[in-house]
Amino acid sequence: MRLAVSGTYSSGKTTVAVGLEILTGIPRTQAKTMREILPYAVPGKRLEECDAGELVELGLRRLVDRVARESQLPGDFISDGSSLHEWVYGKVRVRFGLNPEGALPADEPPQIENGFFEQVIDHMGAVMKDHAVRSYDAFVHLPIEFPLVADGHRPISEGFRRLSDELLLATLEQLGIRYDLVGGTIEQRLDTIARIHGLPRLMPVEEAARTAVALVEKMGIPQETGRAPAAAQ
């Protein structure tokens, strides 16, 4: 089983992917983060300062890194994210502009007046979609259930996150890739995913969840699944 954990920003993908690796023993893979790529790809710039060409380069570097890591695991794996995520980020940036922190009404036109840039993003998307179809057996998609975590690094907003989530789901539908929506606490998510896909369990779900949360905290990633649901705030 080559399973991709999907979802937009602050949905808890990394915690779930780490938890699945601990629970099942199936190795986890993920691409380098933009935080890791930026210093050598575009030295001295933050993500919101990158121009259109630099955004394309970042997306390609992340895709290459993802493919290289996946190729080292010829058998089963759990993927934190997928090749679709690189394309979705670029596509939504076309609509929100190069600094997408603000809200954008649904009827607003694209904020990057550059048809060529959008064509480039779409053609990159064709490659990334093809990779997704060929490389993953199924997706589990984590819906937006927790508030966006402001980490001082990702220039995104709730509107950006919502459109990204909608585009991810629409793309999975378009490609005919199997996916299941899985929400709830980290324990509920791990239990549901393992049950749906008949994955092995090396320990109780609660133990796997506790270990995953501790490991992700060591990575310096905020715990979305420990926050109150967005609808309650």
Side-chain angles (χ1 to χ4, degrees):
M1 167 65 68
R2 298 170 300 174
L3 183 66
V5 180
S6 175
T8 188
Y9 310 93
S10 294
S11 62
K13 290 191 301 298
T14 297
T15 306
V16 168
V18 170
L20 285 172
E21 180 180 38
I22 294 167
L23 177 66
T24 67
I26 298 173
R28 175 178 58 93
T29 181
Q30 68 180 108
K32 287 181 180 177
T33 65
M34 289 297 188
R35 189 193 304 272
E36 293 172 308
I37 296 172
L38 271 170
Y40 63 84
V42 280
K45 281 193 174 184
R46 295 181 299 173
L47 194 55
E48 63 267 32
E49 297 170 334
C50 293
D51 60 30
E54 290 165 338
L55 288 175
V56 170
E57 178 184 345
L58 289 169
L60 288 174
R61 285 183 181 273
R62 198 157 190 243
L63 176 65
V64 168
D65 184 66
R66 186 182 296 281
V67 172
R69 290 170 185 247
E70 291 175 356
S71 68
Q72 296 171 6
L73 299 170
D76 297 341
F77 62 72
I78 305 292
S79 178
D80 181 348
S82 75
S83 57
L84 296 180
H85 289 72
E86 280 77 74
W87 171 69
V88 163
Y89 182 79
K91 187 68 174 175
V92 179
R93 284 290 288 268
V94 170
R95 179 160 180 78
F96 270 75
L98 292 179
N99 189 4
E101 293 181 302
L104 184 68
D107 57 351
E108 282 288 327
Q111 297 300 293
I112 296 180
E113 297 292 339
N114 188 331
F116 178 72
F117 175 60
E118 186 164 14
Q119 288 179 34
V120 170
I121 292 294
D122 285 340
H123 283 285
M124 285 175 57
V127 175
M128 294 167 177
K129 292 174 186 178
D130 185 63
H131 177 79
V133 170
R134 294 171 181 269
S135 300
Y136 311 116
D137 298 315
F139 278 60
V140 289
H141 186 82
L142 310 180
I144 296 175
E145 295 182 306
F146 311 103
L148 181 64
V149 173
D151 61 4
H153 176 67
R154 298 170 294 186
I156 56 177
S157 62
E158 288 291 355
F160 188 96
R161 185 165 70 143
R162 175 181 52 79
L163 284 183
S164 298
D165 191 71
E166 291 172 358
L167 183 54
L168 276 168
L169 288 174
T171 303
L172 290 172
E173 293 278 359
Q174 174 199 21
L175 297 176
I177 298 176
R178 175 189 171 179
Y179 73 91
D180 295 278
L181 287 173
V182 179
T185 65
I186 177 64
E187 293 86 359
Q188 291 169 334
R189 292 174 173 191
L190 294 179
D191 181 67
T192 300
I193 295 167
R195 175 172 46 81
I196 288 173
H197 293 287
L199 302 179
R201 303 184 187 218
L202 305 181
M203 65 186 71
V205 167
E206 293 76 15
E207 182 181 348
R210 285 194 302 271
T211 306
V213 168
L215 286 174
V216 172
E217 286 178 348
K218 286 183 179 179
M219 298 178 193
I221 300 174
Q223 282 296 314
E224 292 87 357
T225 52
R227 296 160 66 86
Q233 295 206 353

